[in-house]
Amino acid sequence: MSDLPPCPECGSPYSYEDRTLLVCPECGHEWSAEQQAGADDETVQVNDANGNPLRDGDTVSVIKDLKVKGSSSVVKVGTRVKNIRLVSGDHNIDCKIDGIGAMKLKSEFVKKA
């Protein structure tokens, strides 16, 4: 068996190489091996403070009082944050907190609810 990936369009295991492209004989889709490798790198794996994996749209709870930079506001322990969005970077959660607004949080200060 070959070590070629299945077709990303139809999932057919019968892909083959044609010069620099990979081709699916069933649906005719063509893609480069670089695109396939890059698609796997785009997914961001983020875990909460307890090691549970987080996904876009999850609800989390804050486990520590967090001072809001540039404001006198504080995000209190136990604040529930709904519909998070994962991003790459130091602060890897984008969200909106009621009463405060748009925020970026570090995953080490939240737990999955």
Side-chain angles (χ1 to χ4, degrees), residues 34-100:
E34 292 82 30
Q35 287 176 339
Q36 183 71 25
D40 295 338
D41 295 339
E42 289 178 15
T43 59
V44 178
Q45 179 60 39
V46 177
N47 295 328
D48 69 358
N50 296 329
N52 298 320
L54 296 173
R55 293 188 291 174
D56 287 342
D58 281 348
T59 299
V60 296
S61 293
V62 177
I63 62 169
K64 177 183 175 184
D65 283 346
L66 301 173
K67 295 180 181 177
V68 178
K69 200 174 206 177
S71 173
S72 61
S73 305
V74 175
V75 179
K76 297 285 188 178
V77 172
T79 302
R80 292 176 63 89
V81 181
K82 298 177 185 176
N83 200 17
I84 64 170
R85 193 177 81 218
L86 303 178
V87 295
S88 58
D90 186 33
H91 291 73
N92 45 13
I93 297 175
D94 275 347
C95 61
K96 286 186 181 177
I97 300 177
D98 293 337
I100 296 176

Side-chain angles (χ1 to χ4, degrees), residues 4-15 22 24 31 36:
L4 297 176
C7 176
E9 291 290 314
C10 69
S12 171
Y14 303 114
S15 60
L22 297 172
C24 175
W31 71 99
Q36 183 71 25

